[in-house]
């Protein structure tokens, strides 16, 4: 991950932080999972705005992933 600190671009090793900070990876996983339901709801709402062609493309991508 890149971030700007004092007008300089710094690269942070997130995996190192997750591995080296006790409980951080577990906290992050719980946080991400708690946002899952919100993401699912946003996607469901947006599906109604898509054209049939766009929905068919999504369906094909899902089929490809399942195989």
């Amino acid at each position: 991950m890149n971030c700007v600190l004092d007008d300089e671009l710094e690269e942070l090793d997130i995996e190192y932080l997750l591995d080296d900070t006790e409980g951080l990876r577990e906290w992050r996983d719980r946080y991400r999972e708690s946002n899952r339901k919100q993401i699912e709801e946003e996607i469901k709402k947006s599906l109604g705005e898509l054209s049939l062609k766009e929905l068919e493309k999504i369906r094909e991508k899902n089929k490809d992933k399942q195989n």
Side-chain angles (χ1 to χ4, degrees):
M1 179 169 92
N2 293 325
C3 67
V4 177
L5 301 172
D6 296 330
D7 297 330
E8 290 186 27
L9 184 64
E10 294 286 333
E11 186 170 329
L12 300 174
D13 185 351
I14 296 298
E15 285 301 316
Y16 170 78
L17 291 174
L18 292 171
D19 290 339
D20 205 49
T21 305
E22 184 178 338
L24 185 58
R25 184 177 299 276
E26 292 80 12
W27 173 85
R28 178 180 154 253
D29 291 345
R30 285 191 312 270
Y31 177 80
R32 291 179 71 206
E33 189 60 37
S34 71
N35 285 333
R36 178 185 179 96
K37 292 197 184 297
Q38 180 183 348
I39 293 168
E40 288 174 353
E41 286 303 314
E42 289 173 8
I43 290 170
K44 285 178 188 177
K45 288 178 184 176
S46 71
L47 290 176
E49 300 170 8
L50 298 177
S51 69
L52 180 56
K53 188 173 184 175
E54 291 169 320
L55 290 171
E56 288 171 339
K57 285 181 184 179
I58 293 171
R59 177 197 241 173
E60 288 302 315
K61 286 181 183 180
N62 284 338
K63 283 183 181 179
D64 291 344
K65 285 185 178 184
Q66 291 175 358
N67 294 330

